[in-house]
Amino acid sequence: MISEILFMGCYGLIMLLLTIYGYHRGMLVWLYQRHKKDKPVIKAQFNRLPRVTVQLPVYNELYVAERIVDAAVNIDYPRELLDIQVLDDSTDETQEILKKKITGLQDAGIDIHYIHRSDRTGFKAGALENGLKSAKGDFILIFDADFVPKPGVIKEMIHFFTDHKVGMVQARWTHLNFDDSPLTRVQTMMLDGHFILEHTARSRSGRFFNFNGTAGVWRRTAIEDAGGWQHDTLTEDMDLSYRAQLKGWRFIYLKDVEVPAELPSEMNAFKSQQFRWAKGSIQVACKLLPEVMRSNATTAQKIETFFHLTNNAAYPLLLMMSILILPCLLLSAIHGWREIVLIDIPIFFGTTVSVATFYLTTQQEEGSRSIWWALKRLPVLFAVGIGLCVNQTRAVLEALFGHSSEFIRTPKVGRTGSDRIPRKKGYTSTLTLVPFIEITMAIYFVFTFITAYNAQRYASLPFVFLFFCGFAYVGGLSMMHSLRSRTSVTKPTGKAILGTVSVSKVLVGAQLHSRR
């Protein structure tokens, strides 16, 4: 009897914590609605435009390297005030492609420089730090290789820096291939949630928010004042962002300035990206959260920083909850109406309803896609988030226990949505034990479904089935993509992992977090 009480108490505590994170999503929706009309305003314009350095960090981007260089060269800004740095750490033929490309541009009079490192010390942060030594600009604009900035991007952002307190201006990511597959549609909803709702809510309400590693302009002195690029976390962008804001620099987010980018088209590429973001955010939490709490930041800023940096802690909680579902079904009795009113309904709203509201509000604000489009894809988003909790739990645990790992790039293939022909040559992904664990969890939920049915817990069956679908889809697709990549020419690549989730009693919903 005591052991049963302890077991159910542990389960209840996990659900309470997940519910708190779920309600935080609802809080972000409220903040967004309250401040969405408070658009940032340019206080003045430069009489003489400042010099800008465009940095393009590249690592083994065979299919998109030339595309980002072309886009950077076509930026509409006075040529004498613009220099471009291609920071290439590649170990494959991307080197030769870029060298040839840049030589031709230099011959045409373009101020563009190829900077290659023979080692990857510091990974992307190290490349940016190295490039900064020879950068000519007072302002630094950064684009990852999978982005395609529009010509007017600098002019839309630069005049906000007439306010000398502004240290960084971030643009919104949009998606070149959002409708390519169910996976890219899920990513679209996740990233829209971050860029349309989260960033807007945080920035316009005076909370701290982060530079996303690309599609943003930094004041060079802000980078230097904050201590420069550091590479003791996998999210150097988030790390520098918080250090700069603690120094008093103001950040601005421009929701209406859109920079298109390519979404990962394969599960393992997506998982490697999300693994890096999750592990990096926990590393930054361990590094900077105590400093934020001791700082002169407002209470609202401190609370939001806590949720922002620790949001990925929902993953191990979700995984533990997933494992406990079957024992709870075996132990618990049929609920009475009082338990439903006092426990199940608050949990349901704290997880499923609040998270669904978050993503539906996002798509409503996005404008070009209907609520019906989002509603049809919401169960898939929940399932993918659930299925990837094994991988993200690994990311969180590695961060907490100080396990160092390589910065794993997210390979892209140059798709734009209309290009649906698979490449014959690609970057391989490492097949780890994680997909096998995900498949094992799917099998586990087959037995959970049978148990719930036999116990006449019919209301639980849709949620248990959602868990099964999530683990089966993520694990199966990971295996399929890994095996398929081995039939093509191999290149250096990445490992696995993903996104953020929150769920209810037996069981309910998911919450996905996305960063750059």
Side-chain angles (χ1 to χ4, degrees):
M1 183 66 179
I2 295 177
S3 60
E4 181 177 335
I5 292 173
L6 290 174
F7 182 87
M8 296 302 293
C10 179
Y11 182 81
L13 178 61
I14 291 171
M15 290 312 307
L16 174 63
L17 294 173
L18 286 172
T19 301
I20 291 172
Y21 278 102
Y23 271 113
H24 172 250
R25 290 280 157 174
M27 179 66 178
L28 287 173
V29 174
W30 178 79
L31 274 178
Y32 175 84
Q33 296 291 357
R34 182 180 179 185
H35 294 281
K36 70 177 182 178
K37 294 183 180 179
D38 301 334
K39 295 182 178 182
V41 177
I42 295 174
K43 293 186 176 181
Q45 293 202 354
F46 286 106
N47 293 322
R48 296 180 61 185
L49 289 173
R51 190 173 187 90
V52 177
T53 295
V54 180
Q55 291 187 324
L56 310 177
V58 177
Y59 176 66
N60 291 354
E61 293 289 2
L62 182 63
Y63 299 117
V64 297
E66 288 188 281
R67 185 177 68 182
I68 181 56
V69 171
D70 286 335
V73 168
N74 287 325
I75 289 176
D76 180 18
Y77 203 70
R79 284 292 158 208
E80 68 277 10
L81 298 176
L82 187 69
D83 65 289
I84 302 169
Q85 293 181 330
V86 179
L87 309 174
D88 184 23
D89 287 356
S90 297
T91 57
D92 67 356
E93 58 261 51
T94 303
Q95 289 185 49
E96 298 306 316
I97 292 172
L98 286 173
K99 286 178 183 177
K100 182 178 179 181
K101 179 76 174 180
I102 291 167
T103 298
L105 291 169
Q106 288 173 335
D107 291 342
I110 304 297
D111 190 359
I112 184 169
H113 305 276
Y114 178 78
I115 302 174
H116 178 72
R117 299 192 304 164
S118 57
D119 64 79
R120 294 187 72 202
T121 301
F123 306 114
K124 180 181 175 181
L128 294 171
E129 180 184 40
N130 183 57
L132 201 59
K133 297 174 183 177
S134 57
K136 302 174 185 177
D138 296 321
F139 297 93
I140 311 298
L141 173 60
I142 302 170
F143 290 114
D144 284 347
D146 52 312
F147 280 70
V148 188
K150 300 174 184 178
V153 64
I154 296 181
K155 291 183 177 179
E156 291 184 283
M157 303 170 76
I158 195 65
H159 293 289
F160 285 94
F161 289 100
T162 54
D163 181 348
H164 295 290
K165 295 181 180 179
V166 172
M168 192 279 299
V169 178
Q170 173 72 53
R172 171 186 156 199
W173 300 5
T174 53
H175 324 294
L176 292 168
N177 59 329
F178 81 92
D179 210 22
D180 197 36
S181 69
L183 180 60
T184 58
R185 293 179 196 116
V186 165
Q187 293 177 70
T188 294
M189 293 184 69
M190 291 171 60
L191 288 170
D192 283 350
H194 179 66
F195 281 97
I196 294 176
L197 206 148
E198 285 187 52
H199 259 7
T200 303
R202 289 179 179 133
S203 63
R204 296 185 186 179
S205 65
R207 273 72 168 175
F208 293 156
F209 74 101
N210 62 288
F211 168 59
N212 292 99
T214 177
V217 181
W218 277 89
R219 188 187 297 271
R220 183 171 183 160
T221 52
I223 297 175
E224 295 167 347
D225 183 51
W229 294 106
Q230 298 175 8
H231 30 85
D232 52 350
T233 73
L234 289 180
T235 47
E236 70 293 322
D237 45 9
M238 178 179 280
D239 176 25
L240 179 60
S241 296
Y242 274 93
R243 285 188 280 115
Q245 288 170 107
L246 286 172
K247 285 282 188 176
W249 291 100
R250 183 183 168 211
F251 282 18
I252 291 177
Y253 174 61
L254 302 178
K255 181 169 71 74
D256 297 326
V257 178
E258 301 178 2
V259 182
E262 180 184 343
L263 297 166
S265 57
E266 293 200 346
M267 178 63 75
N268 288 322
F270 177 46
K271 290 167 76 175
S272 68
Q273 180 187 69
Q274 294 292 322
F275 174 84
R276 186 176 72 246
W277 291 347
K279 182 174 180 178
S281 67
I282 297 298
Q283 288 174 325
V284 173
C286 294
K287 177 180 178 179
L288 295 180
L289 193 54
E291 184 177 348
V292 173
M293 295 305 167
R294 293 192 301 265
S295 73
N296 294 325
T298 67
T299 301
Q301 288 172 331
K302 292 178 180 180
I303 292 172
E304 185 55 39
T305 296
F306 173 82
F307 279 104
H308 187 194
L309 296 184
T310 67
N311 194 41
N312 286 289
Y315 283 113
L317 292 172
L318 178 63
L319 182 59
M320 287 188 289
M321 186 209 65
S322 300
I323 295 171
L324 292 177
I325 291 174
L326 179 55
C328 282
L329 283 170
L330 296 172
L331 288 174
S332 62
I334 301 295
H335 293 173
W337 68 269
R338 291 181 180 178
E339 184 177 3
I340 292 174
V341 171
L342 296 176
I343 299 177
D344 287 21
I345 290 178
I347 287 176
F348 179 81
F349 275 92
T351 53
T352 303
V353 174
S354 63
V355 175
T357 301
F358 177 86
Y359 286 107
L360 292 177
T361 300
T362 296
Q363 292 307 308
Q364 183 180 36
E365 294 299 314
E366 195 277 336
S368 66
R369 292 182 287 272
S370 67
I371 292 295
W372 176 239
W373 184 94
L375 275 171
K376 289 191 294 184
R377 288 156 180 83
L378 201 59
V380 181
L381 182 146
F382 283 176
V384 169
I386 291 167
L388 291 163
C389 72
V390 174
N391 294 1
Q392 294 304 78
T393 295
R394 176 188 158 202
V396 171
L397 294 179
E398 283 192 10
L400 291 175
F401 288 101
H403 177 74
S404 60
S405 60
E406 184 179 351
F407 184 105
I408 303 299
R409 59 179 287 283
T410 306
K412 303 296 187 346
V413 296
R415 287 184 178 166
T416 62
S418 59
D419 175 13
R420 296 172 181 272
I421 301 173
R423 299 283 181 178
K424 293 183 179 179
K425 185 176 184 180
Y427 295 96
T428 61
S429 55
T430 303
L431 183 60
T432 68
L433 285 175
V434 172
F436 294 96
I437 297 173
E438 290 161 353
I439 294 297
T440 301
M441 289 296 296
I443 296 171
Y444 178 77
F445 273 95
V446 171
F447 290 102
T448 304
F449 187 92
I450 294 171
T451 301
Y453 181 83
N454 290 337
Q456 298 182 344
R457 301 293 294 273
Y458 302 125
S460 301
L461 294 181
F463 304 114
V464 174
F465 182 69
L466 189 67
F467 276 66
F468 162 76
C469 291
F471 286 116
Y473 176 73
V474 172
L477 206 57
S478 297
M479 288 184 177
M480 185 182 75
H481 287 167
S482 292
L483 294 173
R484 187 174 67 185
S485 70
R486 278 158 172 70
T487 66
S488 64
V489 178
T490 62
K491 291 288 165 192
T493 170
K495 298 180 183 177
I497 303 195
L498 159 41
T500 267
V501 175
S502 180
V503 198
S504 110
K505 194 135 182 182
V506 181
L507 264 305
V508 175
Q511 127 188 358
L512 290 168
H513 174 72
S514 36
R515 270 214 4 79
R516 194 68 44 278

